[in-house]
Amino acid sequence: MILPIYTYGQPVLRKVAQDITPEYANLDGFINDMYETLDNSEGIGLAAPQVGRADRIVVIDLNVLAEDYPEYKGFRKVFINPHIVEKDDKETATSEEGCLSLPGIHEKVTRPTRIHVTYQDVNFNTYDEWVEGYLARVMQHEFDHLEGKMFIDHVSPLRKQMIKGKLKALLQGRVSCHYKVKVPLGKR
């Protein structure tokens, strides 16, 4: 089932998500819904808060980037209870980011190129690894959602001032995108 994506201004996007347990109700069904929603929206990552649940679940599908990044061919993965343990700040990269919860807004964000993460798979097997490159950027973006943060929190005050009108429009429910959304205050 395609779920509506919660847009900027929805309180769930600013909550710190909770770890889940193997007893989580209909986890497989929810993960399938997240993937279907991600595919429908043509995104590469989706965190549970973006579909209204303050739970630590993220799906990432980098297969769409395989032409430019052959190492991501077939990369489609769910991360349960992910946490960033450490960021290696020795090397950073700046790249433009967008977000399904902020349609029409794209800004340059500087992030570390290497991070240390822990997470579980759908069987609740635990992983502890260092991740580099583009995947590290995507994970930081998506895992930020689990901490109640969004990529616009990483832009300069000047850039934030420059997108203020777009943010206000989102808060008022004025959204233009091709996927189903849930805007603040029931505006749509």
Side-chain angles (χ1 to χ4, degrees):
M1 171 173 56
I2 296 172
L3 305 169
I5 294 177
Y6 285 51
T7 60
Y8 177 75
Q10 287 283 2
V12 71
L13 294 173
R14 292 304 189 176
K15 287 184 179 172
V16 175
Q18 299 300 307
D19 281 354
I20 67 166
T21 66
E23 292 75 38
Y24 191 89
N26 192 24
L27 179 59
D28 289 339
F30 180 57
I31 291 169
N32 288 336
D33 290 348
M34 286 184 70
Y35 275 126
E36 192 174 343
T37 302
L38 181 64
D39 293 342
N40 179 68
S41 63
E42 299 174 0
I44 58 173
L46 186 66
Q50 293 181 273
V51 291
R53 293 196 193 179
D55 300 320
R56 295 190 83 86
I57 305 169
V58 167
V59 295
I60 295 176
D61 184 348
L62 297 182
N63 193 51
V64 295
L65 304 174
E67 193 171 299
D68 294 325
Y69 299 93
E71 64 271 28
Y72 297 131
K73 184 172 177 56
F75 187 99
R76 188 170 169 98
K77 194 169 183 177
V78 61
F79 298 87
I80 295 181
N81 300 328
H83 293 273
I84 295 176
V85 178
E86 181 182 354
K87 294 180 180 180
D88 182 351
D89 291 325
K90 289 181 200 148
E91 203 173 312
T92 61
T94 302
S95 187
E96 189 172 275
E97 292 186 20
C99 180
L100 297 173
S101 293
L102 292 156
I105 298 177
H106 296 85
E107 291 293 324
K108 290 187 184 285
V109 177
T110 301
R111 296 189 187 269
T113 58
R114 186 171 179 259
I115 59 172
H116 179 199
V117 297
T118 61
Y119 62 91
Q120 294 172 308
D121 63 19
V122 293
N123 298 313
F124 288 84
N125 297 309
T126 300
Y127 298 84
D128 183 329
E129 57 193 37
W130 282 91
V131 179
E132 298 182 10
Y134 193 75
L135 178 58
R137 171 173 295 278
V138 174
M139 289 172 107
Q140 288 173 84
H141 177 108
E142 296 306 329
F143 296 2
D144 269 358
H145 282 297
L146 305 177
E147 302 300 332
K149 298 177 184 171
M150 301 178 85
F151 83 89
I152 57 171
D153 299 334
H154 299 286
V155 301
S156 71
L158 175 62
R159 289 302 309 160
K160 201 174 268 187
Q161 185 64 32
M162 293 177 78
I163 62 172
K164 190 176 181 179
K166 290 180 181 180
L167 294 174
K168 185 177 178 182
L170 287 173
L171 287 173
Q172 294 172 344
R174 295 193 324 251
V175 177
S176 178
C177 56
H178 71 280
Y179 48 87
K180 186 166 58 168
V181 296
K182 184 169 173 80
V183 298
L185 309 172
K187 298 281 185 183
R188 193 172 194 189

